């Protein structure tokens, strides 16, 4: 469940602009050994995907068990598209303009994770919470329980989209253009691992293993998911260094001298007109202005994602119910009475688990395949397989899988295989469009052939002095000119 709001709407980190170069304090990067930098930067997405796995696999059967009809359940899960449409772009713009001393992304990451964890607990313990105030024998108890569960799902969708927006933005902020594809591949891996972990844990008898977390499968799963979400983003927040956007006041300056470089301070005034305040109205205005001037390639990527996700939302939220119903209808009459709704839910969740396994394999293998073709000339091997080609193939395969549901409506094995096969397509959708988009954004407007302005490689601590000198000399040349 991703959207494009997590990508910064404009390149604020322009070191070629002298004024913008002094609007920042600190250095960006990732602490730790080089081999651990990418996992630390993207582990937050693992937590968000576990949340989505919990909702996709178990929210639909839970709402049906409360008495909510399927037609109304579709209205409930419209929260996903709505949150992706409004929350991610809004959070992206607000975070771009944030001057918090903790960085632009981490405050939204922290508060969003807390709100999402609270909403998950609310979903898992809906019946118990309502029973505190209304008697279980009261006719109003069932109605209030449904409404509270629906509200909790809306809160989960809106908060997790906010968290995922800043997770994606932090990735683009930290990596240079040359590393964007690798970073997005690692993001896809974390999403796939989170999907596998979420569906695998959901199939275990959790109340037996964790009786202190709850009495039902959903209760324990919601508690574990909340802990994993907060833990993953705590690791990211402690590992990643963000540069702080300074609105006004003293700004750090690095000046080149004959004896080397020296640090100093200087005043830098920033206009405080109403247009510079990151309010909700100005945020949507900024979004609309950026939509009108989107480069053609970015516009194409967004349009393809828009139409493809019209097909993805029903698959993600109704696969468990779809496979579970086919399983129930295929049972012999003597087994129908002994079968429980949880049995059908487990079969449906197993199909999503198979899908996540295929997605995990895909996201680890495909980047290696793309790297192989990048190193070799298409003339030597006769054809070329890049990101765009893989994306086109995955969309065609996804369309074929949706068409195949006409022929698997009475086969449990066939329906499970169809849902499992979509794991390849979903893994590609979590990686390729974001790699293409991040490359376009990072390189758009950059004067360097390798990296967009303001995007630097993940430098080790010993490389900082050399980086300072290059920045200072560039500023000195601009002053002479």
């Amino acid at each position: 469940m991703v959207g494009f709001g997590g990508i910064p709407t404009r390149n604020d980190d322009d070191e070629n602009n002298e004024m913008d170069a002094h609007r920042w304090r600190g250095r960006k990067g990732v602490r730790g050994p080089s081999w651990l930098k990418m996992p630390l930067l993207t582990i937050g997405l693992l937590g968000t995907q576990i949340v989505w796995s919990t909702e996709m696999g178990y929210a639909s059967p839970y709402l049906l068990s409360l008495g909510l009809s399927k037609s109304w359940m579709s209205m409930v899960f419209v929260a996903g598209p709505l949150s992706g449409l409004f929350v991610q772009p809004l959070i992206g713009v607000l975070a771009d303009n944030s001057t918090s001393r903790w960085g632009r992304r981490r405050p939204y990451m922290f508060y969003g994770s807390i709100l999402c964890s609270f909403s998950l607990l609310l979903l898992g313990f809906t019946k118990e919470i309502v029973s505190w105030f209304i008697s279980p024998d009261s006719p109003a108890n069932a109605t209030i329980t449904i409404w509270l569960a629906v509200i909790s799902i809306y809160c989960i969708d809106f908060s997790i989209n906010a968290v995922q927006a800043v997770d994606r933005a932090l990735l683009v902020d930290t990596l240079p253009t040359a590393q964007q594809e690798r970073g997005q591949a690692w993001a896809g891996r974390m999403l796939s691992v989170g999907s596998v972990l979420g569906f695998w844990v959901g199939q275990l008898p959790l109340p037996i293993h964790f009786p202190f977390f709850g009495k039902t499968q959903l209760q324990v799963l919601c508690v574990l998911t909340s802990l994993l979400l907060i833990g993953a983003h705590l690791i990211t927040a402690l590992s990643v260094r963000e540069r702080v956007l300074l609105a006004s006041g003293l700004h750090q300056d690095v000046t080149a001298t004959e004896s080397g470089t020296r640090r100093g301070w200087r005043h830098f005034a920033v206009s405080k007109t109403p247009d510079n305040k990151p309010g909700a109205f100005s945020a949507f205005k900024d979004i609309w202005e950026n939509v009108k001037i989107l480069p053609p390639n970015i516009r194409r990527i967004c349009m393809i994602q828009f139409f493809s996700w019209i097909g993805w939302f029903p698959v993600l939220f109704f696969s468990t119910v779809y496979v579970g119903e086919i399983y129930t209808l295929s049972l012999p009459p003597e087994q129908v009475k002994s079968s429980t709704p949880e049995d059908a839910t487990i079969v449906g969740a197993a199909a999503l688990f198979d899908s996540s396994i295929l997605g995990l394999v895909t996201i680890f293998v495909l980047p290696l395949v793309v790297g192989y073709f990048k190193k070799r000339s298409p003339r030597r091997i006769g054809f070329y397989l890049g990101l765009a080609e893989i994306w086109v193939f995955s969309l065609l395969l996804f369309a074929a899988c949706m068409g195949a549901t006409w022929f698997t409506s009475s086969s449990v094995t066939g329906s499970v295989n169809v849902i499992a096969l979509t794991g390849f397509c979903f893994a590609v959708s979590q990686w390729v469009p974001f790699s293409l988009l991040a490359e376009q954004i990072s390189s758009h407007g950059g004067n360097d052939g390798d990296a967009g302005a303001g995007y630097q490689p993940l430098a080790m601590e010993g490389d900082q002095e050399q980086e300072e000198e290059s920045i200072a000399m560039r500023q000195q040349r601009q002053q002479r000119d």
Side-chain angles (χ1 to χ4, degrees):
M1 311 301 296
V2 288
F4 288 94
I7 304 298
T9 55
R10 62 173 182 271
N11 193 352
D12 293 317
D13 195 7
D14 190 357
E15 290 179 353
N16 293 322
N17 185 309
E18 183 183 1
M19 180 175 293
D20 284 345
H22 294 85
R23 293 186 63 191
W24 305 91
R25 183 179 68 230
R27 293 193 174 277
K28 61 185 179 182
V30 183
R31 298 179 178 89
S34 58
W35 61 271
L36 200 57
K37 289 181 182 292
M38 286 295 183
L40 291 175
L41 180 60
T42 57
I43 194 173
L45 290 168
L46 183 147
T48 60
Q49 187 59 35
I50 293 176
V51 174
W52 286 120
S53 299
T54 300
E55 182 177 340
M56 290 187 296
Y58 300 93
S60 300
Y62 179 63
L63 291 177
L64 290 175
S65 69
L66 294 178
L68 191 68
S69 65
K70 292 180 182 178
S71 58
W72 279 105
M73 192 168 64
S74 301
M75 297 299 296
V76 172
F77 288 116
V78 77
L82 285 178
S83 57
L85 180 63
F86 294 106
V87 174
Q88 287 204 15
L90 177 61
I91 293 297
V93 172
L94 294 178
D96 283 348
N97 293 278
S98 173
T99 56
S100 170
R101 66 189 183 96
W102 302 107
R104 295 190 298 171
R105 315 300 180 189
R106 279 182 288 188
Y108 291 94
M109 182 188 301
F110 174 76
Y111 290 117
S113 298
I114 295 296
L115 177 58
C116 185
S117 298
F118 174 79
S119 302
L120 280 167
L121 297 177
L122 186 63
L123 176 65
F125 294 88
T126 303
K127 294 180 180 180
E128 287 74 10
I129 293 175
V130 173
S131 298
W132 291 348
F133 304 97
I134 301 176
S135 172
D137 299 328
S138 173
N141 183 279
T143 302
I144 299 300
T145 300
I146 292 175
W147 277 105
L148 188 59
V150 170
I151 292 173
S152 65
I153 288 177
Y154 267 77
C155 291
I156 291 172
D157 284 355
F158 277 78
S159 58
I160 200 61
N161 265 290
V163 175
Q164 197 156 344
V166 294
D167 284 345
R168 289 283 189 179
L170 185 63
L171 183 63
V172 176
D173 288 346
T174 308
L175 299 179
T177 305
Q179 296 186 20
Q180 285 296 331
E181 182 178 323
R182 180 167 173 250
Q184 295 299 333
W186 266 100
R189 291 179 184 127
M190 287 297 177
L191 291 170
S192 297
V193 171
S195 182
V196 171
L197 185 61
F199 291 123
W200 176 74
V201 171
Q203 296 183 80
L204 300 177
L206 296 180
I208 297 177
H209 297 296
F210 304 96
F212 43 87
F213 282 158
K215 299 179 181 179
T216 67
Q217 185 84 352
L218 183 62
Q219 289 176 355
V220 180
L221 188 59
C222 287
V223 173
L224 292 176
T225 302
S226 301
L227 295 176
L228 290 173
L229 176 67
I230 294 177
H233 284 91
L234 185 61
I235 293 174
T236 298
L238 295 176
S239 303
V240 179
R241 297 191 307 270
E242 279 194 86
R243 295 206 297 173
V244 177
L245 177 64
L246 301 176
S248 61
L250 288 174
H251 290 242
Q252 194 169 10
D253 188 15
V254 179
T255 306
T257 62
E258 295 180 358
S259 59
T261 59
R262 62 178 175 82
R263 294 181 181 274
W265 297 90
R266 75 183 215 180
H267 284 279
F268 174 72
V270 177
S271 175
K272 294 186 177 182
T273 59
D275 292 337
N276 288 337
K277 296 181 180 180
F281 177 77
S282 61
F284 281 110
K285 181 180 178 182
D286 192 0
I287 294 171
W288 177 246
E289 293 297 327
N290 279 277
V291 167
K292 293 191 295 185
I293 60 173
L294 280 177
N297 288 340
I298 295 180
R299 188 186 299 273
R300 294 188 189 101
I301 295 172
C302 293
M303 292 300 295
I304 294 172
Q305 279 290 82
F306 172 80
F307 287 106
S308 66
W309 275 94
I310 294 177
W312 273 118
F313 276 109
V315 174
L316 296 175
F317 286 113
F318 291 97
S319 291
T320 304
V321 177
Y322 165 70
V323 176
E325 287 186 346
I326 294 177
Y327 166 77
T328 302
L329 293 174
S330 65
L331 291 176
E334 60 273 10
Q335 295 184 14
V336 173
K337 295 182 179 180
S338 59
S339 178
T340 64
E342 286 191 358
D343 295 335
T345 301
I346 291 175
V347 175
L352 291 175
F353 176 71
D354 295 340
S355 174
S356 63
I357 289 290
L358 179 58
L360 180 62
V361 174
T362 299
I363 203 62
F364 273 93
V365 173
L366 275 187
L368 301 178
V369 175
V370 173
Y372 171 83
F373 280 95
K374 276 190 172 182
K375 296 177 182 178
R376 286 160 177 79
S377 171
R379 294 181 180 179
R380 294 179 57 186
I381 57 180
F383 68 99
Y384 179 75
L385 186 63
L387 295 177
E389 290 78 10
I390 291 175
W391 196 16
V392 171
F393 174 76
S394 71
L395 292 173
L396 294 175
L397 179 61
F398 179 62
C401 290
M402 295 300 96
T405 57
W406 285 94
F407 310 100
T408 60
S409 57
S410 59
S411 172
V412 177
T413 302
S415 61
V416 169
N417 289 337
V418 167
I419 298 301
L421 194 57
T422 61
F424 172 86
C425 311
F426 189 65
V428 173
S429 72
Q430 297 289 282
W431 165 48
V432 172
F434 291 101
S435 294
L436 296 173
L437 187 62
E439 289 178 359
Q440 291 291 322
I441 291 176
S442 294
S443 61
H444 184 68
N447 298 324
D448 195 322
D450 295 327
Y455 290 88
Q456 309 169 21
L458 294 177
M460 302 298 289
E461 297 294 338
D463 299 334
Q464 292 184 359
E465 294 298 328
Q466 183 178 358
E467 182 183 1
E468 290 176 1
E469 184 175 358
S470 63
I471 296 174
M473 297 303 295
R474 184 164 60 247
Q475 294 173 356
Q476 192 177 44
R477 287 196 303 268
Q478 291 175 349
Q479 291 175 357
R480 287 201 304 266
D481 295 339

